[in-house]
Amino acid sequence: MKQFLLFSFCFSMAALSVNATIRTVSNTPSTLAQFNTIQAAVDASSSGDTIYVNGSPNTYSAFSITNKQLVVIGPGWSPDKQLPLTAFVNGCTITGAACSNSEFQGIAFTSTITLNASKPDNIRFIRNWFIAISIAINQSSTTYSGYLFEGNLFDNASADATTSSTYQNFLFQNNYFYENACCRSGNINGFFNSINVLLNHNLWFGPSSATTRDAFVGTCRFLTITNNIFVKRNASTQNSSSTFNNNITFNAGDNTPWLSNGNVNSGGNISNQDPQMTDQTSVNAGSNNPLLDFTIAAGPANNAGSDGKDIGFLYDPTGSLNWTISRTSRLPYIFSMNISNPTIASGGTLNVSVEARKNN
C-alpha cells in the first residue's frame, strides 16, 4: 500500500500541470505502474504524451521513438529524497521530424543516444546524466536546429556532431563537463558549421594528473563561449574562430584559448587564476562528484560574468537555473513518506504522513 500511494500521489501532482496523457513505467515488480518497459509506454503513446519513468535498481532497456513528440521524465541524476533511486536507461534512438520538440529529463543514459536518421529539431535534454556515451547528432549534410542542453552531467560523455552538417541555435548551459581520459577525447565534438551555438555558465574540469584534456575536438568552429570555468581542460585544441568572453582558466594547458587558433577575445576573460569555488580543492584533485559545492563567494570569478553573475554554474535563487536543484527533475515529488501504524485491525485507520516538495 505504501508504494502504491507514493507512486499515485507523485504522478497525480505532476498531472495537474500537463495537458496530455500520462503514462507510467517501472521495471520493479514492487512498484505499481502501467508499463514495465519504456518501449511499451512509447508504443502506446501519441504525440504530446508524457512518460514518467520510475527510479529503479534495475537498468531499463533501450527504447526508440519514431515520429512522435514525447516528454520522457525520470527522477533526476541524484534525486533529493529518502529513496534516491535513479532511472538508468540503456540508450535511445529518436527518428523522424515529427519527434521535434521532444524532451528528455532526469534520465541516466548508459548507452548511445542517436538522433541521426530523419533528424528532429528543438530537442531538449534537461538534468540528465550521460555516462560514458555519445549523443550522436550527426546525420550528414543536414541542418540541426534549436537543441537545449541544461543542467546535465556529461560524465566522460560527448555531444557528437559531424563536419558535413550545420548546427544552429544550440544552447549548452549549466552543464557539468568532466573528462578523465577514460572514454572520450572531448565533450563537444565536430561542431564545424556552427551558427548561434552558445556554451554559457558551464564547468569543465578533468583528472588530477598534470595532463589536461581537450574540451573541444573534431574541428569545432564559430562557437560562442561565455562565463565558463576551465580547470585542467584545454579549450583551444581543434576549436577555431570561436568567440570567448568572461571565461576563466586554471592550469588548463592553454590558459589563453581566446588568443589561439584564430579565436576571438571578446573581453572579460581571466587567464590561469584559481576560480575559488567552495570545493575548489576537490575540483583541482579531479574528484568526479557533481554534488560538490561549486559556489563562489570571492575571488576572480565572483560576479565576473557577462551578466554580472559568477562565472561558472548558475545558482539563481528563483527559476530553474540553480545547480543545487538540478539533481532532481523538474516535477513535484515525494521527499518522504511514513506510516505511523503499519499494523491495524480490520476496519481500522491507517495513518500516513507524506512530505512533498516542489522542484523548479
Side-chain angles (χ1 to χ4, degrees):
M1 176 176 289
K2 176 178 179 179
Q3 288 171 333
F4 175 76
L5 288 171
L6 171 63
F7 199 83
S8 298
F9 184 79
C10 179
F11 290 121
S12 65
M13 289 182 67
L16 295 176
S17 60
V18 180
N19 185 22
T21 299
I22 304 258
R23 306 184 192 280
T24 57
V25 181
S26 175
N27 62 3
T28 304
S30 59
T31 303
L32 297 181
Q34 297 166 304
F35 301 93
N36 57 21
T37 69
I38 301 174
Q39 189 63 60
V42 169
D43 293 344
S45 296
S46 301
S47 284
D49 289 351
T50 297
I51 298 170
Y52 292 132
V53 183
N54 204 52
S56 171
N58 308 309
T59 298
Y60 288 91
S61 298
F63 65 95
S64 298
I65 302 174
T66 302
N67 282 323
K68 293 180 182 179
Q69 182 263 309
L70 300 176
V71 177
V72 183
I73 303 179
W77 48 261
S78 181
D80 183 18
K81 56 183 181 178
Q82 284 188 337
L83 297 173
L85 292 174
T86 301
F88 291 95
V89 177
N90 192 24
C92 72
T93 300
I94 307 160
T95 302
C99 290
S100 296
N101 301 299
S102 290
E103 180 173 318
F104 303 87
Q105 182 184 147
I107 304 291
F109 289 100
T110 61
S111 192
T112 300
I113 300 169
T114 302
L115 304 104
N116 61 6
S118 302
K119 59 92 186 175
D121 287 326
N122 303 312
I123 302 296
R124 298 179 295 278
F125 292 99
I126 299 174
R127 301 183 183 182
N128 300 287
W129 184 6
F130 306 125
I131 308 170
I133 70 166
S134 166
I135 306 168
I137 321 171
N138 51 16
Q139 180 180 342
S140 62
S141 303
T142 190
T143 297
Y144 287 90
S145 180
Y147 278 51
L148 171 67
F149 293 85
E150 179 182 295
N152 301 291
L153 305 183
F154 283 80
D155 183 358
N156 293 293
S158 57
D160 294 334
T162 177
T163 57
S164 69
S165 291
T166 298
Y167 300 85
Q168 64 183 17
N169 302 326
F170 272 56
L171 174 58
F172 295 83
Q173 67 179 358
N174 239 35
N175 297 289
Y176 174 105
F177 290 106
Y178 183 82
E179 173 61 52
N180 69 355
C182 162
C183 311
R184 293 286 179 272
S185 57
N187 300 117
I188 301 296
N189 176 25
F191 281 78
F192 184 72
N193 298 309
S194 305
I195 302 172
N196 296 327
V197 175
L198 172 63
L199 297 107
N200 185 43
H201 282 289
N202 303 290
L203 171 63
W204 308 72
F205 72 111
S208 58
S209 66
T211 302
T212 58
R213 303 292 296 168
D214 294 327
F216 306 97
V217 293
T219 317
C220 295
R221 302 187 306 169
F222 308 131
L223 306 174
T224 301
I225 302 167
T226 181
N227 301 318
N228 298 276
I229 293 175
F230 296 94
V231 177
K232 296 183 179 177
R233 298 297 303 275
N234 190 332
S236 64
T237 303
Q238 297 188 57
N239 177 26
S240 63
S241 304
S242 293
T243 300
F244 288 77
N245 67 282
N246 298 79
N247 302 281
I248 185 168
T249 62
F250 187 51
N251 294 332
D254 182 358
N255 282 302
T256 55
W258 43 86
L259 301 179
S260 304
N261 267 358
N263 291 316
V264 177
N265 181 3
S266 191
N269 296 297
I270 302 169
S271 172
N272 200 24
Q273 293 191 41
D274 188 336
Q276 299 183 34
M277 290 174 279
T278 299
D279 284 336
Q280 186 72 48
T281 300
S282 295
V283 172
N284 293 344
S287 177
N288 185 8
N289 181 2
L291 297 179
L292 293 173
D293 188 347
F294 302 105
T295 59
I296 294 170
N302 184 236
N303 298 327
S306 61
D307 49 11
K309 301 176 182 179
D310 296 341
I311 296 176
F313 282 142
L314 292 165
Y315 286 90
D316 291 353
T318 59
S320 63
L321 291 175
N322 186 319
W323 183 253
T324 301
I325 61 174
S326 67
R327 60 189 294 184
T328 305
S329 61
R330 296 182 61 186
L331 285 174
Y333 64 99
I334 299 293
F335 176 78
S336 64
M337 183 175 183
N338 297 293
I339 298 176
S340 58
N341 59 334
T343 302
I344 58 175
S346 177
T349 300
L350 180 68
N351 296 320
V352 181
S353 174
V354 176
E355 181 183 349
R357 297 183 178 181
K358 69 175 184 176
N359 200 51
N360 291 337

